[in-house]
Amino acid sequence: MAAATTQTPNDHFGGEDFATLLDETLGQDIGFEGSVVVGKIVRLTDDYAIVDVGLKSEGRVPLKEFAPAGVKAEVKPGDMVELYVERYEDRDGSILLSREKARREEAWSALEKAFENNQRINGTIFGRVKGGFTVDLGGAMAFLPGSQVDIRPIRDINPMIGVAQPFQILKMDRARGNIVVSRRAVLEETRAEQRSELIQGLKEGMILDGVVKNITDYGAFVDLGGVDGLLHVTDIAWKRVNHPAEALQIGQPVRVQVIRFNPETHRISLGMKQLEADPWENVTTKYPVGSRFTGRVTNITDYGAFVELEPGVEGLVHISEMSWTKKNVHPGKIVSTSQEVDIVVLDVDSSKRRISLGLKQVQPNPWQQFADTHQVGSEIEGEIRNITEFGLFIGLSADIDGMVHMSDLSWDEPGEVAITHFKKGDVVKAKVLDVDVEKERISLGIKQLSEDSVADALAKVNKGSIVTCTITGIQQNGIDVSVNDILSGFIRRTELSRDKAEQRPERFNVGDRVDAKVVSIDKNARRLTLTIKGREVEEDKQAISDYGSSDSGASLGDILGAAFRRRSENEPDVE
């Protein structure tokens, strides 16, 4: 039995090396897999481009790889293109090629050089992913973290999508196919360059273009291209701006003027209104004192209301100039914001940019109207609206009152007593005593409606005259008396008699009648001061003058006795 023999692959193919035979069949084609080759488009089918890449078999490339999605591929037979050899479909079949992978390989090579040299590369943001965005770097896909999009947070990135712009490669790993890029790094580098150039050439008065970067309660920060400046709320516009957000918004392009610049701190103050004409120029000519205009209420405070006469020009209506009669009312109860009102210019101070306005001046002055229709001394009738500790307030019209002071309530009673006879709501008559339009006061009197019997009686009494009094009260320091039952008076203790022993008030009784001499007349207090002692002294002097002389030798008793006897003879018998 013959021995069995074992055949090797080489023996089966005539002893030749299998690899050699394979290379003869396919050439070196299989060594091209994973490489980029240049091919010529031979023909086009509905979905593929047939390409000759110099191998034994033709390759095919999907037409969609030659153009973005939805766009028809602009290729034709004869075009030379770079392609990536993916694989051989079979031993005798065509080669599967990729235009997209060829672009990617080409891009990676360029990106690696840029990364090594720290160079910027151009790319396009085309999609969103978790934590950031995807960027097309000419065929290679990269990741753009959200924090690396811009120097400041971006609310809307849509305007950046699909726009070619520079990026900086932060890191890349070809084995894993990872690339991380930053747009912020490019902006910061550019910003630093622009900042240096801007600071060196910055001067007060320069007009620059910028973008609103941030808004606060007191103003807005404007990016001037590498450096920020503050646009204060008062420099946004000539007209009143309560909050910067009323006139500006983040991202808004603005034109500003440099108002102040500190080279040491690099602080820049900007203004927008300075680029417009100042509405306060010739304001005294446009708004003369006493003229009447229509304005819009822009702001209401505790002390008044601001009225806009034109954009940028406002005046203040002080609370005291808002109403003739409403004195203790908040301005918000008289006018409202945005209300159109008629006003009168009271004062203009162009240097301080202040205009004082009056709201009540467009209405008739009720105090002046009353003065024109009611002369002093005329009578009025009205309802008591209020009673205070010093008098009555009587309504004269819907808006104004007149006051009757307590001293003008009665001729005969003290004011605090007379006021108790009145109550709120009573309709009373009064006489106009005085009208002060400037002080807005009308003085009335009730007692003036009747004759003053006391005043008449006082007019008939003279100082030094002798009057008969009726005692009305006994006091420790004297006695109260009345004259003709109208006038009141007082005789002090020391004036009760020339005889000190008789200067005792208790020796008199209420109702007794005595003769006394008038010492003084107090018309304001409507009161007399009298003396019995003075009357007696005067009578003694008169008796001496009538019945005695310096050389007669008669005694004082004799003289007075004769005087008394004569007086008794002349007086009628009372009984």
Side-chain angles (χ1 to χ4, degrees), residues 37 39-41 43-53 58-66 73 75 81-86 89 94-102:
V37 296
K40 181 179 180 180
I41 297 178
R43 61 184 182 277
L44 302 176
T45 66
D46 292 339
D47 298 320
Y48 292 93
I50 308 303
V51 183
D52 179 8
V53 292
E58 294 178 340
R60 58 194 179 101
V61 183
L63 288 176
K64 62 182 181 181
E65 292 190 9
F66 287 96
V75 292
V81 292
E82 290 186 346
L83 300 168
Y84 178 84
V85 180
E86 290 198 64
E89 291 189 339
S94 61
I95 305 169
L96 185 59
L97 305 171
S98 173
R99 171 60 179 164
E100 181 177 340
K101 290 185 178 180

Side-chain angles (χ1 to χ4, degrees), residues 162-208:
V163 178
Q165 51 195 310
F167 294 88
Q168 188 77 36
I169 300 176
L170 299 182
K171 61 180 181 178
M172 62 185 303
D173 186 342
R174 186 164 188 171
R176 298 183 178 182
N178 292 335
I179 304 176
V180 179
V181 295
S182 171
R183 179 174 176 269
R184 176 176 179 173
V186 176
L187 295 177
E188 288 179 342
E189 184 178 345
T190 304
R191 183 184 180 90
E193 296 173 356
Q194 293 175 342
R195 178 186 178 90
S196 178
E197 294 178 2
L198 183 62
I199 291 297
Q200 290 178 0
L202 199 63
K203 296 180 181 179
E204 294 184 2
M206 289 182 63
I207 298 175
L208 303 172

Side-chain angles (χ1 to χ4, degrees), residues 248-288:
L248 303 171
Q249 57 184 357
I250 294 177
Q252 176 183 343
V254 292
R255 174 159 287 188
V256 293
Q257 185 177 38
V258 179
I259 301 175
R260 288 178 298 277
F261 171 59
N262 189 328
E264 297 179 359
T265 61
H266 292 176
R267 289 185 178 180
I268 306 171
S269 297
L270 307 173
M272 286 179 61
K273 71 180 185 181
Q274 287 76 7
L275 300 177
E276 302 175 355
D278 186 354
W280 282 87
E281 292 182 2
N282 302 321
V283 71
T284 54
T285 304
K286 292 187 290 184
Y287 303 102

Side-chain angles (χ1 to χ4, degrees), residues 5-180:
T5 59
T6 302
Q7 291 182 342
T8 64
N10 288 341
D11 295 336
H12 183 71
F13 290 99
E16 294 184 84
D17 184 91
F18 177 76
T20 302
L21 294 174
L22 186 61
D23 288 340
E24 290 178 356
T25 304
L26 299 178
Q28 299 296 327
D29 293 355
I30 195 168
F32 285 92
E33 286 189 7
S35 61
V36 177
V37 296
V38 177
K40 181 179 180 180
I41 297 178
V42 179
R43 61 184 182 277
L44 302 176
T45 66
D46 292 339
D47 298 320
Y48 292 93
I50 308 303
V51 183
D52 179 8
V53 292
L55 302 177
K56 293 184 178 181
S57 298
E58 294 178 340
R60 58 194 179 101
V61 183
L63 288 176
K64 62 182 181 181
E65 292 190 9
F66 287 96
V71 180
K72 184 178 180 181
E74 296 293 336
V75 292
K76 61 184 182 297
D79 288 348
M80 303 298 293
V81 292
E82 290 186 346
L83 300 168
Y84 178 84
V85 180
E86 290 198 64
R87 66 179 183 277
Y88 292 88
E89 291 189 339
D90 51 50
R91 187 175 284 187
D92 296 324
S94 61
I95 305 169
L96 185 59
L97 305 171
S98 173
R99 171 60 179 164
E100 181 177 340
K101 290 185 178 180
R103 291 176 60 246
R104 188 180 305 163
E105 289 294 319
E106 182 181 358
W108 269 94
S109 298
L111 292 175
E112 285 178 337
K113 291 181 180 179
F115 182 56
E116 291 175 359
N117 298 325
N118 195 28
Q119 295 176 340
R120 301 175 185 175
I121 43 89
N122 288 327
T124 304
I125 301 173
F126 69 91
R128 296 176 181 267
V129 293
K130 184 177 180 181
F133 306 88
T134 52
V135 180
D136 181 1
L137 302 178
M141 298 301 106
F143 173 64
L144 173 64
S147 60
Q148 297 296 321
V149 176
D150 205 311
I151 296 173
R152 55 184 180 272
I154 299 295
R155 295 182 178 180
D156 184 14
I157 199 173
N158 289 327
M160 299 183 187
I161 295 179
V163 178
Q165 51 195 310
F167 294 88
Q168 188 77 36
I169 300 176
L170 299 182
K171 61 180 181 178
M172 62 185 303
D173 186 342
R174 186 164 188 171
R176 298 183 178 182
N178 292 335
I179 304 176
V180 179

Side-chain angles (χ1 to χ4, degrees), residues 469-488:
C469 308
T470 301
I471 297 175
T472 58
I474 307 298
Q475 311 294 335
Q476 289 184 352
N477 61 336
I479 60 174
D480 295 315
V481 298
S482 67
V483 179
N484 299 328
D485 296 328
I486 296 175
L487 302 177
S488 62

Side-chain angles (χ1 to χ4, degrees), residues 22 33 36 67 69 130 139 145 191 214 234 250 287 342 347 367 384 426 440 451 465 472 528 555 565:
L22 186 61
E33 286 189 7
V36 177
K130 184 177 180 181
R191 183 184 180 90
N214 190 26
T234 58
I250 294 177
Y287 303 102
D342 292 331
D347 184 58
W367 313 98
I384 297 177
D426 288 349
E440 300 180 349
E451 294 296 329
S465 61
T472 58
L528 302 175
S555 66
R565 283 193 301 273

Side-chain angles (χ1 to χ4, degrees), residues 336-356:
S336 57
T337 305
S338 299
Q339 177 183 349
E340 297 285 338
V341 293
D342 292 331
I343 46 82
V344 172
V345 179
L346 303 181
D347 184 58
V348 178
D349 189 335
S350 57
S351 61
K352 295 182 179 179
R353 294 177 177 265
R354 292 178 181 175
I355 299 180
S356 297

